[in-house]
Amino acid sequence: MKKWWQKTLVLSVALLTFGLITPNHEIWDVLENGQASNNSQSSNIQANDQPKTQVSAVVEESISTEEETPRQSIESILFAAKEQSYIKFGSRIAPVIGDEFEERIFPKIAEAIEQTLTRMDDESIKYLAITNRPSQNGEKIFHITNEETGKDLIRFHVRTEKRPQDGFFYNFHYHTAEDHFVAHHTLGDIYWSKNTPPKWLS
């Protein structure tokens, strides 16, 4: 095996296994010599302990030194918002309204989130979280909350409306803490059909 290829393989495996398989591991003896050495097991037991702690220390250090920027926080909230929306839709509603939701509704959700969060300071954005339990019987898709205070900042909902002669529509809207969640800010409607839609999360 070419030396550079072997070094690359050894390094990749060591990184991917967080040091559990080290360059002294029996697997490398088998690859290089075609057979396992008998005394390699005892040396591996000793060798495995040290690299494992070194790798975990490096990972912990990189996690603690890299703080999320406000832009990364907003991006992660937008990702979670889309994920929670599809959880709310479930496997029966999502295939039917998914394309229209992606084209018409989600860009407005993203715009509302970004407008709300850009009015906040960077320190406050770090404490924002998104709820992860859409309501099965109610309107709630997700809420964005301040983890420090436990208070909601913005609430995104969808309501099923039956309109005479037209059928069923999904009305997407949101409420903000700025007006104590009184105003109803419409994001848009998506037509279902004249048939009764399935339950949320189904």
Side-chain angles (χ1 to χ4, degrees):
M1 190 184 292
K2 291 187 177 182
K3 205 64 167 167
W4 65 269
W5 178 248
Q6 184 180 5
K7 287 181 180 181
T8 304
L9 185 61
V10 168
L11 180 62
S12 300
V13 170
L15 286 173
L16 291 174
T17 61
F18 295 103
L20 293 176
I21 299 178
T22 63
N24 304 11
H25 198 276
E26 183 178 19
I27 193 169
W28 305 117
D29 292 336
V30 172
L31 283 174
E32 200 168 290
N33 304 333
Q35 62 185 14
S37 64
N38 292 337
N39 61 357
S40 66
Q41 275 188 331
S42 61
S43 65
N44 283 338
I45 292 171
Q46 295 169 350
N48 276 344
D49 289 340
Q50 190 176 3
K52 200 185 308 178
T53 56
Q54 287 174 347
V55 172
S56 64
V58 171
V59 171
E60 287 173 16
E61 184 180 315
S62 68
I63 289 171
S64 63
T65 57
E66 288 182 23
E67 288 192 25
E68 224 179 2
T69 65
R71 184 71 222 158
Q72 289 171 324
S73 295
I74 293 171
E75 291 299 324
S76 62
I77 286 174
L78 292 175
F79 178 81
K82 186 179 282 191
E83 184 180 49
Q84 291 305 308
S85 299
Y86 279 95
I87 290 171
K88 170 83 169 176
F89 301 157
S91 61
R92 296 178 65 198
I93 296 174
V96 179
I97 69 168
D99 290 341
E100 198 169 353
F101 174 78
E102 292 279 341
E103 290 171 21
R104 291 185 36 241
I105 306 299
F106 191 75
K108 292 179 182 177
I109 290 174
E111 182 182 347
I113 291 172
E114 287 186 0
Q115 283 179 355
T116 303
L117 301 190
T118 52
R119 293 192 296 262
M120 299 176 67
D121 61 273
D122 294 351
E123 189 64 27
S124 299
I125 291 176
K126 288 196 305 190
Y127 296 105
L128 296 181
I130 193 164
T131 58
N132 60 2
R133 290 192 179 138
S135 170
Q136 183 172 15
N137 298 316
E139 296 183 357
K140 176 184 169 189
I141 303 173
F142 63 89
H143 297 171
I144 296 176
T145 61
N146 182 320
E147 287 185 313
E148 212 172 29
T149 64
K151 294 183 179 180
D152 289 346
L153 178 67
I154 187 167
R155 299 173 179 169
F156 288 90
H157 294 167
V158 59
R159 178 178 60 232
T160 307
E161 295 179 349
K162 182 178 181 182
R163 300 178 187 167
Q165 308 299 320
D166 293 333
F168 290 90
F169 286 81
Y170 293 120
N171 172 260
F172 291 87
H173 57 279
Y174 68 96
H175 309 274
T176 65
E178 292 170 352
D179 63 4
H180 305 289
F181 307 105
V182 174
H184 190 98
H185 305 277
T186 300
L187 296 164
D189 296 332
I190 295 180
Y191 178 70
W192 172 258
S193 76
K194 292 194 175 188
N195 299 325
T196 304
K199 286 189 173 190
W200 298 114
L201 307 176
S202 62

